[in-house]
Amino acid sequence: MDTVQQQAEVVSYAPSPPEEFCGREEERERLAAVISRTGEHGQAVMISGPPGIGKSSLLSWLAREVRECPGGLPSPVLRAEVFDLPGMIFSAFRELVGDLRKQTAPGRIGGEGMREAIRYAGDVLEKYAAPVEPVGLLPKTGEEIIGVFARSPEVGYDRVRQAFGELLRELGREMTGTGRIAAILLDDVHLASNLDRRLLRDTVHDLPPGILLAFTCRTEGAACPGPATLQEIRDSGYPEVQLPGMRRDEIRELGERRFRLAVDDAAAALLETTCSDPFSLMACFNALRCRGLAPSAGNMADVLAGAGGPAALAFTTLSGPGKALAEELCVLNPPFPVPVVACMLKLKGTDVMPAVDRMQESGIFRRLPGTGYAFAHPLLQEHCRRELSNDARIALNARAADCFERTMHRLPGRLHVLLSLACHFFHAQEYGKAADLNLELGLRFYHREDYDTALVLTERAIASAEHLGDDALLAAARRQGDLIRQKVAGPVEPAQ
């Protein structure tokens, strides 16, 4: 094999920095046209495609374009990401409101009317989620967690829709009055709850001038929404930018700009026909660099042969400790809180932050806004989970449950804590704890009309009761499951 002179660091699998974004000229022109129309009429656009095709990277490019719109004053960009943990009701929308709150410093955005709209929308969103968050959650264990829930406040979906809509109208007035636009960006809406998708649809239908709403949606793969859900999203009537694989000229640009590799036409042609999505290309280029190989067609064919897929190829570039780190954290539901990460890795004191820094340097983890972490790309975590043995999966989930119980008094996202515990107890086969917590949470989500999440949780409770041989618990869980299925099958009415 031809070789190059030295081995290089792995380029991160996180979304591409806007300044390094490559190709997609036609798609960028379409998005630029959408930006240009936003000042006169509110606009919405969906960026879609299979996993690894570059949706989040294009969203990052769009964010920079909005921020750099001419006009003097900066144009605000609010961005949130939906994660694969059923039940995080309106978490992304709450994150958007929190992001806007940070940008309302004097002299930046809005006056008292804007601040009041932000306060009201934030309060309503928090209260809607309150029935599934605990009150006075202290370091409790197992059964003690059950029953420490808030009473359900009288906040219905219509108040949520009204409050968020009024916030956007206030923001739109501010933008049009100053010749700017504001962008609201949502990543991975295919993972969103029914309630979140409902709010998204209602928001799209009533966008005020000055507001651009752009979001990404996976159209293939394990996390892809069902055909009916995908069609429901598309039927909302906004334009869709579908991303195909990269062309050979774009592949050559990617190799040069992000990896400093001079990819010739023969090598680019090979990649165009075998692995043209950006994630696969990055795995190939990282493998070449880490093995010290020249980017020839022959070397690429050898690297790709028998790789077992792009995510598997990506992990071949990791050291032994790097692979162990990924395995130990892959059962967690993002965002990964730092105290839980430290507990999972058995780190204490001054050892924590250096280890966290090494996570980012590996190229397979990324830091999220705030203090949480996640895998740099969902495909990496999905691969890690598939590769776990059954014994390892049980042991790691048991450790994760223990870590959440040990650190919950230090964690801000109480809903995330409860849902994570419900998941980890079940997959650790701690069926006594899993049955009670999943059944209770399932009921709470039923009363919040998030029937998909309620059914997932209740089915876990049913399976747990079966393993326990608890007939009374099993009967209660089955009755709850039947009640939820009736709601799913029939017209959706407000729960009493």
Side-chain angles (χ1 to χ4, degrees):
M1 290 186 178
D2 297 330
T3 60
V4 292
Q5 289 299 311
Q6 59 183 4
Q7 189 170 344
E9 296 294 329
V10 170
V11 175
S12 174
Y13 291 92
S16 168
E19 64 274 11
E20 296 180 10
F21 189 83
C22 302
R24 309 299 194 193
E25 294 298 336
E26 180 180 339
E27 290 82 1
R28 286 198 263 184
E29 288 177 7
R30 290 183 61 190
L31 291 175
V34 171
I35 293 174
S36 68
R37 297 192 296 267
T38 301
E40 186 174 353
H41 300 287
Q43 299 290 313
V45 61
M46 176 169 80
I47 301 171
S48 66
I53 202 66
K55 301 180 293 295
S56 299
S57 293
L58 186 56
L59 202 65
S60 296
W61 174 87
L62 177 62
R64 187 183 68 166
E65 290 300 296
V66 171
R67 288 192 183 98
E68 295 183 352
C69 282
L73 294 172
S75 291
V77 173
L78 315 176
R79 184 168 183 172
E81 184 173 357
V82 183
F83 291 107
D84 188 14
L85 180 60
M88 294 297 290
I89 298 176
F90 298 138
S91 62
F93 286 95
R94 285 185 280 169
E95 188 177 338
L96 291 170
V97 173
D99 197 359
L100 182 57
R101 184 181 290 113
K102 295 174 185 176
Q103 299 190 39
T104 54
R108 296 187 67 187
I109 301 176
E112 185 56 36
M114 174 67 71
R115 287 189 286 274
E116 175 59 24
I118 292 171
R119 184 200 62 77
Y120 179 65
D123 287 350
V124 169
L125 287 166
E126 290 290 344
K127 287 178 180 177
Y128 196 96
V132 290
E133 293 199 28
V135 172
L137 184 62
L138 297 172
K140 301 176 184 293
T141 59
E143 299 83 353
E144 293 179 293
I145 297 172
I146 310 303
V148 290
F149 292 90
R151 292 175 58 85
S152 299
E154 296 300 320
V155 175
Y157 171 79
D158 287 342
R159 280 186 64 189
V160 173
R161 176 182 53 79
Q162 179 268 331
F164 193 71
E166 181 53 40
L167 174 60
L168 293 189
R169 286 188 288 274
E170 186 68 33
L171 180 58
R173 285 191 287 269
E174 168 76 14
M175 294 299 100
T176 55
T178 55
R180 294 180 287 169
I181 68 170
I184 298 173
L185 311 180
L186 283 170
D187 215 353
D188 291 340
V189 300
H190 52 276
L191 299 173
S193 71
N194 281 336
L195 287 167
D196 286 85
R197 294 199 303 270
R198 181 180 176 186
L199 182 55
L200 178 64
R201 291 196 306 273
D202 290 342
T203 300
V204 164
H205 290 151
D206 193 27
L207 282 173
I211 302 297
L212 167 63
L213 192 158
F215 59 93
T216 67
C217 183
R218 185 185 286 197
T219 55
E220 296 176 18
C224 174
T229 300
L230 191 56
Q231 192 58 45
E232 167 193 288
I233 294 172
R234 285 174 165 156
D235 285 346
S236 297
Y238 34 72
E240 178 179 357
V241 176
Q242 295 180 316
L243 296 182
M246 300 186 83
R247 302 187 306 268
R248 67 183 65 182
D249 59 313
E250 297 173 321
I251 293 170
R252 296 182 69 175
E253 181 187 0
L254 176 65
E256 173 60 35
R257 180 170 294 187
R258 301 211 64 195
F259 295 84
R260 302 297 183 264
L261 294 175
V263 180
D264 63 28
D265 195 59
L270 171 69
L271 295 176
E272 185 181 35
T273 58
T274 56
C275 59
S276 59
D277 65 276
F279 180 84
S280 298
L281 292 168
M282 292 191 64
C284 179
F285 291 153
N286 270 326
L288 288 171
R289 284 182 27 144
C290 289
R291 298 176 192 181
L293 300 175
S296 65
N299 284 345
M300 290 180 183
D302 289 339
V303 164
L304 295 173
L313 179 58
F315 277 95
T316 65
T317 65
L318 296 181
S319 63
K323 292 176 183 177
L325 182 70
E327 179 179 296
E328 291 181 324
L329 299 180
C330 72
V331 299
L332 297 178
N333 300 295
F336 311 154
V338 171
V340 175
V341 170
C343 178
M344 291 290 289
L345 301 178
K346 303 176 181 177
L347 300 172
K348 294 182 180 179
T350 57
D351 293 335
V352 174
M353 293 317 297
V356 167
D357 290 340
R358 288 194 296 274
M359 285 172 57
Q360 287 185 271
E361 292 168 2
S362 72
I364 62 168
F365 292 97
R366 59 188 170 105
R367 183 171 183 174
L368 302 171
T371 59
Y373 287 80
F375 276 77
H377 196 284
L379 289 175
L380 296 168
Q381 185 166 13
E382 292 168 18
H383 171 78
C384 266
R385 288 179 172 178
R386 285 195 304 270
E387 293 297 303
L388 287 179
S389 68
N390 189 55
D391 288 346
R393 184 177 296 107
I394 293 170
L396 288 170
N397 275 286
R399 192 194 306 175
D402 179 66
C403 287
F404 270 102
E405 288 186 300
R406 288 172 179 269
T407 63
M408 64 170 66
H409 61 291
R410 298 161 55 195
L411 304 178
R414 296 184 297 183
L415 177 57
H416 182 267
V417 171
L418 282 179
L419 289 167
S420 294
L421 279 171
C423 175
H424 294 311
F425 282 150
F426 180 72
H427 292 294
Q429 299 183 3
E430 297 182 28
Y431 293 123
K433 297 177 181 180
D436 290 339
L437 185 54
N438 279 282
L439 188 63
E440 179 69 19
L441 284 172
L443 180 61
R444 302 292 168 162
F445 279 97
Y446 167 80
H447 285 301
R448 270 294 164 253
E449 302 177 58
D450 185 354
Y451 302 122
D452 286 351
T453 299
L455 194 57
V456 168
L457 294 164
T458 303
E459 286 178 342
R460 283 188 199 149
I462 292 171
S464 298
E466 289 174 339
H467 282 285
L468 293 170
D470 188 327
D471 292 339
L473 182 60
L474 179 58
R478 283 176 171 168
R479 283 195 299 271
Q480 182 167 299
D482 290 341
L483 188 65
I484 297 167
R485 290 186 187 91
Q486 289 174 11
K487 286 291 186 180
V488 172
V492 176
E493 299 176 356
Q496 298 300 318

